[in-house]
């Protein structure tokens, strides 16, 4: 018994000419999502077209097939509901290829390397709280410049909530790769909205940047000292901060998550909240070199040591990772160890990859669990 024919199947079976293939595209949402069946389409002259994506576990390049007699290329894949997949097309012409965004799909995501097209599978919706809300009072951003005795000149941004008053006290959130979080997750908008909705309290947020993040975030003693012994007292001297570990959070993604956890590990009990997104928690079960290469040697040494003797370094830890990332195995392996130390751990997986909008989509759940606002305290 067979089910009803999909729109794409019907088109292919009709052996369409160019005009009919062109008409099929008109006004249609591309890629075509029909349940879990997703059809990618490319229309144009080419010698070959590949789908390029960053879904770990699938072939990274999958060829589209040209519909005979037309310039329409197609590829149908099974993509689970709720997925969000970033991709490009690799278009071959005259012996060379270029990677391009999907001109038929208006959904784009930005990252430090440019733009990607975005497949939004059935059931996925970008969260409303990630978009500007005219009712939310905007907080302010001001430049952060600090001369660290350990690391030298440090820059970034400071976020102050709209109702900031020096007569009140505030929790502190320190964000690794702060400018990237601002640019690619819309973190300021997210903070404005979550504070407006009373899902998190008013916060002071230090958005820090590093000129050498792959070294400094990889369990570097100088970086941990800078955050804990230099930046934290500096901010406490400038702003009315709550002086309790439960009111201090370190946050980061990828290597930034390693920087957050390793800093807390070097200063146990100082940072009572951790938000770790898609952490690059590479480790080995034998030997000291991970398959990811020498760039990860410092990380491997740290994670191996933590795995060998897990201990509580914070009180509450939120961990998130995309199911389509190669790092999902490392994050799934780390979570039970964190929980076994007695720390309160929440782990969230999403059908997404190693990208900024995945990290954006997890911010509401992570921040409101680590720093519940008045509304969340009522309903939790």
């Amino acid at each position: 018994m067979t089910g009803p024919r999909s729109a794409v199947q019907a088109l292919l079976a009709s052996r369409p000419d160019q005009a009919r293939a062109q008409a099929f595209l008109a006004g249609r949402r591309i890629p075509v999502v029909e349940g879990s069946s997703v059809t990618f389409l490319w229309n144009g002259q080419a010698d070959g077209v590949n789908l390029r994506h960053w879904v770990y576990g699938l072939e990274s390049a999958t060829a589209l097939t040209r519909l005979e007699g037309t310039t329409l290329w197609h590829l149908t894949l099974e993509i689970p509901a709720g997925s969000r997949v970033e991709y490009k097309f690799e278009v071959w012409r005259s012996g060379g290829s270029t990677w391009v965004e999907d001109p038929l799909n208006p959904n784009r995501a930005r990252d430090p390397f440019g733009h990607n097209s975005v497949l939004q599978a059935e059931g996925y919706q970008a969260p409303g709280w990630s978009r500007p809300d005219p009712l939310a009072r905007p907080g302010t951003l001001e430049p952060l410049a600090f001369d660290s005795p350990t690391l030298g000149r440090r820059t970034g941004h400071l976020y102050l909530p709209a109702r900031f008053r020096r007569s009140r006290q505030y929790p502190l959130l320190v964000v690794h790769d702060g400018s990237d979080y601002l640019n690619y997750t819309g973190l300021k908008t997210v903070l404005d909205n979550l504070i407006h909705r009373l899902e998190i309290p008013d916060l002071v947020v230090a958005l820090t940047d590093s000129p050498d993040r792959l070294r400094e975030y990889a369990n570097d003693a100088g970086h941990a000292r800078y955050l804990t012994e230099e930046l934290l007292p500096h901010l406490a001297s400038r702003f009315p901060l709550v002086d309790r570990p439960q009111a201090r959070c370190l946050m980061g993604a990828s290597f930034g998550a390693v920087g957050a956890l390793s800093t807390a590990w070097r200063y146990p009990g100082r940072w009572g909240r951790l938000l770790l997104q898609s952490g690059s928690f590479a480790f080995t079960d034998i030997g000291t070199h991970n398959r990811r290469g020498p760039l990860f040697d410092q990380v491997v040494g740290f994670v191996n040591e933590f795995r060998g003797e897990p201990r509580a370094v914070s009180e509450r830890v939120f961990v998130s990772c995309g199911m389509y990332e190669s790092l999902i195995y490392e994050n799934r392996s780390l979570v039970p160890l964190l929980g076994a130390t007695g720390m309160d751990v929440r782990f969230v997986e999403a059908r997404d990859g190693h990208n900024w909008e995945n990290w954006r989509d997890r911010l509401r759940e992570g921040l409101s669990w680590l720093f519940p606002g008045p509304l969340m305290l009522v309903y939790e």
Side-chain angles (χ1 to χ4, degrees), residues 265-321:
W265 179 68
R266 289 178 179 275
Y267 292 89
R270 197 75 63 90
W271 301 92
R273 300 287 184 267
L274 299 177
L275 201 164
L276 313 176
Q277 299 197 291
S278 303
S280 304
F281 299 122
F283 64 89
T284 58
D285 289 313
I286 183 170
T288 57
H289 298 290
N290 183 273
R291 62 182 172 85
R292 298 177 186 278
L295 188 65
F296 281 77
D297 283 353
Q298 277 288 107
V299 177
V300 168
F302 161 62
V303 179
N304 281 356
E305 189 170 348
F306 186 88
R307 286 167 56 86
E309 192 174 349
R311 54 186 167 87
V313 298
S314 187
E315 292 186 8
R316 184 171 280 199
V317 186
F318 182 89
V319 183
S320 70
C321 193

Side-chain angles (χ1 to χ4, degrees), residues 46 55 82 85 131 135 163 197 232 239 343:
V55 177
V85 176
R131 294 189 287 270
L135 298 178
R163 293 183 294 269
R197 296 176 180 210
L232 179 58
F239 301 103
M343 293 187 286

Side-chain angles (χ1 to χ4, degrees), residues 51-131:
L51 175 70
R52 290 284 193 170
H53 57 75
W54 293 268
V55 177
Y56 186 71
L58 296 181
E59 293 292 335
S60 60
T62 306
L64 281 71
T65 301
R66 187 171 65 84
L67 190 57
E68 189 175 350
T70 76
T71 59
L72 188 64
W73 300 71
H74 62 94
L75 170 67
T76 300
L77 297 175
E78 291 296 312
I79 306 289
S83 295
R84 183 186 163 284
V85 176
E86 297 193 8
Y87 69 97
K88 277 188 168 74
F89 287 128
E90 180 184 29
V91 181
W92 285 87
R93 296 188 183 99
S94 304
S97 70
T98 54
W99 289 36
V100 298
E101 298 151 29
D102 184 347
L104 300 174
N105 180 1
N107 294 318
R108 296 283 189 279
R110 294 189 306 130
D111 64 24
F113 308 103
H115 292 79
N116 292 317
S117 295
V118 180
L119 160 69
Q120 298 179 347
E122 187 174 72
Y124 173 83
Q125 279 194 324
W129 46 262
S130 67
R131 294 189 287 270

Side-chain angles (χ1 to χ4, degrees), residues 37-57:
S37 176
V38 176
T39 300
F40 297 86
L41 295 166
W42 163 266
N43 188 32
Q45 296 290 346
D47 300 323
V49 181
N50 289 326
L51 175 70
R52 290 284 193 170
H53 57 75
W54 293 268
V55 177
Y56 186 71

